[in-house]
Amino acid sequence: MTFKYNNVYINETGTVTGPYEASGPLSKYFDKGYKDFYFGLPTWEQAESKSIEDAVDIVLNKTNRTKFDIDLFISGDLLNQTAASNIAASSLGVPYFGVYNACATSVEGLILASNMIEAKQIKNCITCASAHNNASEKQFRYPVEYGGPKPKTTTFTTTGAAAAFLSYNKKGIRIESATVGSVVDSGVKDAFHMGAVMAPAAAQTIYRHLLETKREADYYDLILTGDLGRYGKNILRECINTEYGITLKNYDDTACMIFDLDNQPVYAGASGPACAPLVTYGYIFSLMKKKELKRVLLVATGALHSQSTVNQKLSIPSIAHAISLEVIE
Amino acid sequence: MEKNKYKEVVNRHTPKENVLYNTMIAFFVGGLMGLLGQLLIDAYSYYFSIPTNQASIFMIVTLIFVGCLLTCLGFFDKWVHACKCGLIVPITGFAHAMMSAALEYRKEGLVTGIGANMFKLAGSVIIFGVVSAYVFGLLRLILFGC
């Protein structure tokens, strides 16, 4: 399912990060970075909510708007019942959709907002995706202070929130089209190997997007997946080549960009709903504004597992949504 | 792509864990912990003039206390990570598992937070520890009659 948009633009973005991202290679592209995991609050869950509120505030300031000017707020995160987004939405007090597609949440939000703006149902929308390393470790894995050994394929959840202000005003970055992915069962059951879980979903969505838009892979200056990690990246390259005959040349993965993989303790790279939008809104948009990149296909990938289904030895379903971003000519 | 074929692709791109290296580290650190425990037993029984079985209880309490304290000070997780299973398998790991879970849930109330979650990891150690002690005790009774 691919949608074409004529009049949808990401006017402004707001990016807030935690300590590891703020000391990573892309730190200068983010609006705000915290030095610890609590952000001055008692719990990690509250800290995650605060990162969403901060990102939204930054967007409102950049666009000279107040919350009363916002038609719709779409947000999602990794916590049970998308708790961080719900709390942030309650303090914002505008019409709200809570969404969940794990690490594909950001693009899911962008697609929903774009469709409503294109259909003129709303004038504008703020979409947001967030994650918190410690809060999600607590929920999905072991206690943070436990620190047990993990395999090399483990990914490290990004801390932070990334918000985007979308409207039909021609400013910023254009959203040209989007492809909604379907859920893929790759047969992988290992929750410590997310790259392997999500690579088939990414391959399928990229293939469908190119097929339905009648494009070749090199139409895009960059195809960016978020977030397969350093091993998942190679799996995708091989998988998409053997299965669909597509060779990825201008390709990268956000998991390998936000951290310094060799010098930060992040195993196979970053993960979490905030990773792809943080890299895209911060670093990629700055390259697009300088016209170094003109067309970018962002493919956000999500592993849709719960701890219970993993313990029940069920294979992990995964999804990928693609969105085509263009420089305004 | 067929699941079996995909599994092959995944295996080809998955790095191998350094099992020998990890095992050696765990072996030596675990051995050092055993040595430390034995030294503590000897010291307690010498200085307090108590029998070895009482001194070993003192040793266990000491190691649990030190393990919990180091966890609370916030750097024991890095040691655990570096020592692979060398610090998790001995009694220090048990203390660390309980304390790290307790720390994690301390903001969710004494009963619903700490009480309900403290044994999240350590609970299975207790259950299987008790069950295996029972089974091996029974085996010893049947085979050796004591």
Side-chain angles (χ1 to χ4, degrees):
Chain A
M1 175 62 79
T2 297
F3 303 116
K4 290 279 252 176
Y5 306 113
N6 296 315
N7 271 311
V8 185
Y9 305 90
I10 298 179
N11 297 149
E12 285 295 350
T13 59
T15 47
V16 178
T17 71
Y20 282 81
E21 299 73 18
S23 56
L26 303 184
S27 60
K28 65 176 176 184
Y29 298 100
F30 302 131
D31 295 315
K32 188 173 182 178
Y34 282 99
K35 289 197 170 63
D36 68 13
F37 278 106
Y38 285 96
F39 305 179
L41 289 160
T43 65
W44 299 322
E45 289 79 5
Q46 284 170 279
E48 186 173 345
S49 270
K50 183 168 169 52
S51 69
I52 301 174
E53 288 167 22
D54 284 354
V56 171
D57 276 346
I58 291 167
V59 165
L60 289 176
N61 279 336
K62 281 187 185 175
T63 54
N64 284 324
R65 281 182 166 83
T66 68
K67 63 182 186 178
F68 303 106
D69 303 318
I70 305 304
D71 282 358
L72 183 65
F73 176 54
I74 299 177
S75 183
D77 58 85
L78 277 183
L79 300 184
N80 282 341
Q81 293 87 33
T82 61
S85 296
N86 299 345
I87 292 170
S90 79
S91 71
L92 193 63
V94 300
Y96 162 68
F97 278 143
V99 292
Y100 183 81
N101 259 183
C103 311
T105 301
S106 57
V107 174
E108 182 190 16
L110 288 177
I111 295 175
L112 291 172
S114 303
N115 281 14
M116 282 184 270
I117 290 170
E118 182 75 7
K120 298 205 164 56
Q121 290 168 325
I122 52 174
K123 289 194 298 294
N124 60 40
C125 178
I126 291 181
T127 69
C128 190
S130 75
H132 191 289
N133 182 281
N134 292 4
S136 53
E137 283 289 314
K138 176 183 169 186
Q139 181 171 302
F140 286 99
R141 292 173 183 160
Y142 301 124
V144 172
E145 288 297 334
Y146 187 61
K150 291 176 190 161
K152 290 174 183 167
T153 50
T154 311
T155 44
F156 186 88
T157 310
T158 312
T159 303
F165 179 86
L166 283 79
S167 76
Y168 47 64
N169 297 325
K170 196 170 179 179
K171 183 176 176 270
I173 303 291
R174 182 180 167 216
I175 297 181
E176 185 268 335
S177 64
T179 301
V180 181
S182 25
V183 178
V184 173
D185 176 11
S186 57
V188 180
K189 297 175 183 177
D190 185 0
F192 287 105
H193 201 346
M194 292 301 185
V197 171
M198 301 186 292
Q204 194 192 67
T205 301
I206 294 171
Y207 165 72
R208 285 200 183 151
H209 177 81
L210 296 178
L211 184 79
E212 286 166 19
T213 53
K214 298 187 179 66
R215 286 170 188 165
E216 296 293 322
D218 52 14
Y219 171 86
Y220 290 101
D221 299 328
L222 179 68
I223 294 179
L224 193 65
T225 51
D227 30 36
L228 299 176
R230 65 165 111 189
Y231 307 111
K233 213 170 141 176
N234 296 334
I235 297 172
L236 172 68
R237 278 182 194 278
E238 181 167 343
C239 187
I240 203 167
N241 195 282
T242 47
E243 185 78 0
Y244 304 111
I246 297 168
T247 310
L248 294 177
K249 283 188 211 118
N250 309 323
Y251 166 66
D252 212 335
D253 185 74
T254 56
C256 306
M257 300 163 83
I258 194 164
F259 295 126
D260 181 350
L261 297 196
D262 297 323
N263 295 312
Q264 287 184 297
V266 295
Y267 307 90
S271 63
C275 174
L278 280 175
V279 173
T280 309
Y281 301 165
Y283 177 56
I284 301 296
F285 278 14
S286 81
L287 294 182
M288 290 177 85
K289 280 170 190 163
K290 282 187 246 165
K291 304 262 167 103
E292 285 173 31
L293 295 171
K294 287 187 174 169
R295 297 178 186 136
V296 174
L297 184 70
L298 173 64
V299 185
T301 60
L304 306 173
H305 69 296
S306 82
Q307 221 183 7
S308 300
T309 56
V310 169
N311 288 344
Q312 289 165 19
K313 307 270 185 295
L314 302 179
S315 64
I316 302 172
S318 63
I319 193 158
H321 299 304
I323 196 155
S324 161
L325 304 164
E326 281 188 2
V327 172
I328 301 171
E329 293 298 338
Chain B
M1 193 180 277
E2 279 173 38
K3 282 180 186 168
N4 283 341
K5 218 174 137 198
Y6 182 62
K7 215 171 174 180
E8 281 171 27
V9 175
V10 170
N11 286 340
R12 214 168 27 249
H13 292 288
T14 302
K16 296 278 170 291
E17 298 296 328
N18 202 338
V19 180
L20 187 69
Y21 172 79
N22 293 350
T23 315
M24 291 312 281
I25 286 190
F27 179 78
F28 281 111
V29 177
L32 279 177
M33 290 306 296
L35 183 70
L36 179 70
Q38 190 58 48
L39 286 175
L40 280 172
I41 292 175
D42 290 350
Y44 282 136
S45 61
Y46 179 77
Y47 288 110
F48 297 147
S49 302
I50 49 173
T52 317
N53 57 352
Q54 279 184 27
S56 67
I57 295 170
F58 277 43
M59 175 275 291
I60 288 173
V61 172
T62 310
L63 287 186
I64 288 181
F65 175 76
V66 172
C68 289
L69 185 71
L70 295 184
T71 309
C72 294
L73 292 176
F75 55 81
F76 201 54
D77 57 322
K78 293 186 183 70
W79 290 14
V80 166
H81 183 77
C83 298
K84 309 300 169 191
C85 285
L87 288 174
I88 296 181
V89 177
I91 192 77
T92 42
F94 179 75
H96 174 59
M98 276 179 55
M99 189 47 76
S100 58
L103 280 173
E104 189 118 323
Y105 289 92
R106 72 190 189 282
K107 300 275 168 56
E108 294 178 22
L110 269 177
V111 176
T112 50
I114 295 179
N117 292 294
M118 198 166 181
F119 292 91
K120 212 177 173 185
L121 292 170
S124 42
V125 180
I126 295 178
I127 294 295
F128 293 108
V130 171
V131 170
S132 53
Y134 178 80
V135 170
F136 286 110
L138 205 64
L139 277 176
R140 194 170 86 166
L141 184 71
I142 293 165
L143 292 177
F144 305 110
C146 61

